[in-house]
Amino acid sequence: MSSNDRVIIFDTTLRDGEQSPGASMTGEEKLRIAKALERLRVDVIEAGFAIASPGDFAAVKAIADAIKDSTVCSLSRALDGDIDRAAEALKGANSGRIHTFIATSPIHMQHKLRMQPDQVVEQAVHAVKRARNLCSDVEFSCEDAGRSEIDFLCRIIEAAIDAGARTINIPDTVGYAIPHQYAEMIRQLLERVPNADKAVFSVHCHNDLGLAVANSLAAVVAGARQVECTINGLGERAGNAALEEIVMAIKTRADLLGVHTRIDTPHILSTSRMVSGITGFPVQPNKAIVGANAFAHESGIHQDGVLKHRETYEIMSAESVGWNANKMVMGKHSGRAAFRARLEELGIVLAGEGELNAAFARFKDLADKKHEIFDEDLQALVSDSLSAEAPEHVKLLSLEVASKTGEVPQAKLVLSVDGAERSACAQGSGPVDAIFKAIESIACSQANLQLYSVNAITQGTDSQGEVTVRLEKDGRIVNGNGADTDILVASAKAYINALNLMQDGQKAHPQVADV
Ligand code: KIV
Ligand code: ZN
């Protein structure tokens, strides 16, 4: 295949994905996901929006410093301050990209930007030139391109390429496009923009009508050679195009599409699980590629067919995306070296001996309670041990819960709050309610509980429960996670983790902030 047959996979889980209400991630979690994306061989990782907050800046910088094999990108509006901040965060990158954008649709230019089309072109050109002075790899996006006029798109894209943009992104920001119409738009832009051959055309589709993947693939057929997508289709509102679906459609239907990606597909499932665990967004069982039922055959006719010849009912193998790889990895006799090696195979590299020792100590505790330890257990355990290492105002010291038929459940707990021991006792409609009330009687956070979810990490009743608690206060939303074989302990840990995350600073949203 020639280089023109390669589709660049641009992952924006850490930026657009994080814009899903409630999907915020800590810097350490973002770094862990970035390492998993590098292992998956994603071409470009959009690590964040550097100007949004000091935390976002630090996360983009940490990812730029650590990632060697993927390009690391920061989003910036077409504003000097944004571009300079993005360049600053990307300084240490092996390969960095500044992604700058401005809205191009009549509705956005008139009502959001309150600018004339000429001013928008001028600002776009200025932004791309400024970015090119700071970074050799610049992407320009026409926000709301899906509802923009084709003549205006041709004009602004030609100017952006002349100014130095090497990737031109045509986002369907509001998920309005229909596959044949969106493909026609890409075809026309490639034909009509005189310098189109000097840039890679990219697509970025939202899923409001459930068409993000279909639109992206139609655009690839029309000549787009970069697809922007997210793991599990995470993203604003109904989400973005799902990376796993785009990649597997390209791989499975190479006969028809005639293109390829460089994604190492057996790492898809573990990356999906990592993102789901960290964000607390469960993957629906019937989700293509990564849902629990994606390769499960229930009907007798199908089972019979698959047993006789797999391809009767399967268009791709479960192994090719990482299913059936969660072999029993270790038990209580496994040593530190084996533990470290397995984590490395899972793409988890702990910083220094301190983190490794803490995670290994938790592994030994878990191995005492649980006979077989699977990859999913290790991922949850590392997540849990890293959040315990982070500076914590509130820590769980002990928990006692009483729950008996016919009696009101009661929780007694002891917390450490900024080093001081505090105890509380509360009753609730159930044991979890009692625990949360007891914690709140000490923390007095006045946050609203938006989500409480428990997921069994592996099969069997000895599985660890992974709990997500989503809290909201004054419009700020955080997700706390906790894992334990005792789901009441996991629930307390998750609530406390959310309280600790609440202490972080506010951040700006790229698409609501004024230009
Ligand atoms: O949806 C969108 O338009 C975006 C841009 C910032 C690329 O996310
Ligand atoms: Zn978007």
Side-chain angles (χ1 to χ4, degrees):
M1 289 196 186
S2 78
S3 66
N4 196 32
D5 298 331
R6 182 137 96 77
V7 174
I8 296 166
I9 296 295
F10 175 116
D11 179 277
T12 183
T13 307
L14 300 175
R15 198 277 297 170
D16 219 331
E18 207 207 14
Q19 285 172 218
S20 303
S24 62
M25 308 166 212
T26 65
E28 177 281 315
E29 288 167 342
K30 286 184 183 174
L31 183 57
R32 202 148 23 105
I33 292 177
K35 286 181 180 162
L37 293 172
E38 182 183 39
R39 190 170 70 128
L40 190 59
R41 290 177 53 79
V42 155
D43 298 283
V44 186
I45 299 172
E46 188 161 53
F49 175 43
I51 199 149
S53 70
D56 264 54
F57 178 86
V60 176
K61 181 170 166 25
I63 293 169
D65 292 349
I67 298 298
K68 298 287 167 253
D69 188 42
S70 308
T71 294
V72 178
C73 170
S74 172
L75 185 68
S76 72
R77 290 164 300 183
L79 293 176
D80 291 358
D82 280 38
I83 293 166
D84 297 354
R85 198 78 176 133
E88 177 73 25
L90 295 171
K91 252 187 197 154
N94 212 10
S95 163
R97 172 180 297 186
I98 297 179
H99 176 192
T100 188
F101 75 96
I102 194 162
T104 52
S105 62
I107 189 165
H108 275 227
M109 290 192 289
Q110 189 184 339
H111 299 288
K112 184 179 90 163
L113 301 179
R114 299 201 175 102
M115 284 166 75
Q116 293 302 317
D118 286 353
Q119 293 173 297
V120 172
V121 176
E122 197 182 314
Q123 188 157 333
V125 167
H126 173 83
V128 171
K129 284 189 175 155
R130 189 174 184 99
R132 263 310 290 266
N133 279 334
L134 298 166
C135 181
S136 60
D137 186 352
V138 173
E139 170 168 337
F140 172 69
S141 280
C142 311
E143 190 192 6
D144 204 18
R147 292 188 298 173
S148 301
E149 285 163 3
I150 192 88
D151 291 346
F152 184 62
L153 283 178
C154 290
R155 178 175 162 212
I156 198 165
I157 290 170
E158 181 181 358
I161 296 174
D162 272 346
R166 289 295 162 261
T167 304
I168 296 293
N169 186 33
I170 314 295
D172 180 24
T173 304
V174 292
Y176 184 64
I178 300 290
H180 72 279
Q181 165 251 327
Y182 189 56
E184 184 52 30
M185 180 181 226
I186 302 294
R187 214 169 272 123
Q188 284 204 28
L189 292 174
L190 285 166
E191 256 170 45
R192 290 179 50 187
V193 173
N195 50 4
D197 60 324
K198 296 200 171 56
V200 172
F201 275 64
S202 166
V203 288
H204 172 118
C205 296
H206 280 269
N207 206 28
D208 300 67
L209 293 174
L211 292 170
V213 169
N215 285 333
S216 306
L217 293 174
V220 166
V221 173
R225 284 295 174 267
Q226 174 175 287
V227 175
E228 303 197 356
C229 43
T230 57
I231 301 291
N232 300 339
L234 205 65
E236 283 268 0
R237 308 180 308 279
N240 289 62
L243 179 147
E244 59 279 7
E245 295 176 20
I246 299 280
V247 167
M248 291 315 289
I250 287 177
K251 186 169 174 170
T252 308
R253 296 312 311 271
D255 59 323
L256 194 71
L257 300 172
V259 290
H260 66 290
T261 73
R262 63 163 208 157
I263 297 296
D264 196 6
T265 62
H267 293 307
I268 285 180
L269 184 66
S270 59
T271 314
S272 156
R273 288 195 165 161
M274 182 185 282
V275 170
S276 165
I278 286 175
T279 57
F281 279 49
V283 172
Q284 77 205 48
N286 58 331
K287 163 86 177 62
I289 319 294
V290 291
N293 291 350
F295 293 89
H297 297 278
E298 174 67 21
S299 100
I301 297 175
H302 286 207
Q303 286 173 350
D304 181 54
V306 169
L307 287 174
K308 286 182 176 140
H309 185 75
R310 190 180 62 74
E311 283 163 22
T312 49
Y313 286 100
E314 275 185 12
I315 57 168
M316 58 197 150
S317 77
E319 289 75 15
S320 70
V321 295
W323 285 99
N324 308 334
N326 68 336
K327 44 189 181 286
M328 202 257 295
V329 283
M330 285 187 283
K332 66 198 254 179
H333 301 298
S334 309
R336 238 169 70 99
F339 177 70
R340 185 206 298 257
R342 188 64 199 151
L343 290 185
E344 278 172 12
E345 277 167 40
L346 289 173
I348 303 170
V349 184
L350 296 174
E353 291 300 296
E355 278 187 4
L356 181 69
N357 290 343
F360 187 61
R362 279 172 181 250
F363 163 70
K364 284 288 177 185
D365 283 349
L366 181 62
D368 274 340
K369 297 186 214 154
K370 194 171 184 283
H371 191 53
E372 299 170 314
I373 307 235
F374 296 92
D375 289 345
E376 290 85 347
D377 289 313
L378 292 182
Q379 279 172 334
L381 177 143
V382 168
S383 207
D384 216 39
S385 102
L386 291 179
S387 41
E389 293 253 302
E392 287 177 314
H393 302 272
V394 187
K395 270 191 192 147
L396 177 69
L397 298 181
S398 69
L399 172 67
E400 196 183 315
V401 183
S403 178
K404 196 171 166 192
T405 326
E407 285 187 15
V408 182
Q410 180 170 301
K412 275 190 201 165
L413 47 79
V414 183
L415 302 182
S416 151
V417 181
D418 292 324
E421 265 189 35
R422 307 275 308 274
S423 53
C425 180
Q427 294 189 326
S429 57
V432 174
D433 189 41
I435 292 170
F436 289 2
K437 283 187 172 135
I439 296 174
E440 265 307 314
S441 72
I442 298 175
C444 304
S445 75
Q446 288 171 347
N448 301 311
L449 178 69
Q450 287 203 330
L451 173 114
Y452 168 75
S453 85
V454 190
N455 248 317
I457 291 178
T458 52
Q459 286 169 352
T461 47
D462 71 342
S463 163
Q464 291 192 86
E466 189 167 44
V467 175
T468 301
V469 165
R470 185 172 302 154
L471 295 181
E472 183 274 338
K473 191 178 173 190
D474 301 331
R476 182 164 148 65
I477 299 173
V478 294
N479 276 321
N481 294 315
D484 202 283
T485 46
D486 179 335
I487 56 168
L488 296 178
V489 174
S491 303
K493 283 182 182 171
Y495 197 97
I496 290 169
N497 183 224
L499 289 178
N500 286 322
L501 292 170
M502 267 285 167
Q503 312 267 343
D504 286 358
Q506 293 282 354
K507 64 193 265 178
H509 185 298
Q511 282 148 308
V512 293
D514 280 340
V515 166

Coordinates of all heavy atoms in Angstrom, one line a residue, residues 15-16 204 206 240 511, ligand 2:
R15 N -9.1 15.0 25.3 CA -9.5 16.4 25.2 C -11.1 16.4 24.9 O -11.8 16.8 25.8 CB -8.8 17.1 24.0 CG -8.9 18.6 24.0 CD -10.1 19.2 23.4 NE -10.2 18.8 22.0 CZ -11.3 19.1 21.3 NH1 -12.4 19.6 21.8 NH2 -11.4 18.7 20.0
D16 N -11.5 16.0 23.7 CA -13.0 16.1 23.5 C -13.7 15.0 24.4 O -14.8 15.3 24.9 CB -13.3 15.7 22.0 CG -14.4 16.6 21.4 OD1 -15.3 17.0 22.2 OD2 -14.4 16.9 20.2
H204 N -13.8 14.9 11.9 CA -14.0 14.9 13.3 C -15.5 15.0 13.5 O -16.1 16.0 13.3 CB -13.3 16.2 13.9 CG -13.6 16.4 15.4 ND1 -12.6 16.4 16.3 CD2 -14.7 16.7 16.0 CE1 -13.1 16.7 17.5 NE2 -14.4 16.9 17.4
H206 N -19.2 14.2 15.4 CA -20.0 14.0 16.7 C -21.2 13.1 16.4 O -21.6 13.0 15.2 CB -20.3 15.3 17.3 CG -19.1 15.8 18.1 ND1 -18.9 15.5 19.4 CD2 -18.1 16.6 17.7 CE1 -17.8 16.1 19.8 NE2 -17.3 16.8 18.7
N240 N -18.1 11.2 20.3 CA -17.3 11.3 19.0 C -17.4 10.0 18.4 O -17.8 9.0 19.0 CB -15.9 11.7 19.3 CG -15.7 13.1 19.8 OD1 -16.2 13.5 20.8 ND2 -15.0 13.9 19.0
Q511 N -15.0 25.4 23.6 CA -16.0 25.8 22.7 C -17.0 26.8 23.3 O -17.9 27.2 22.6 CB -16.6 24.6 22.0 CG -15.7 24.1 20.9 CD -15.8 22.6 20.8 OE1 -15.7 21.9 21.7 NE2 -16.1 22.2 19.5
Ligands
ZN2 ZN -15.4 17.9 18.9

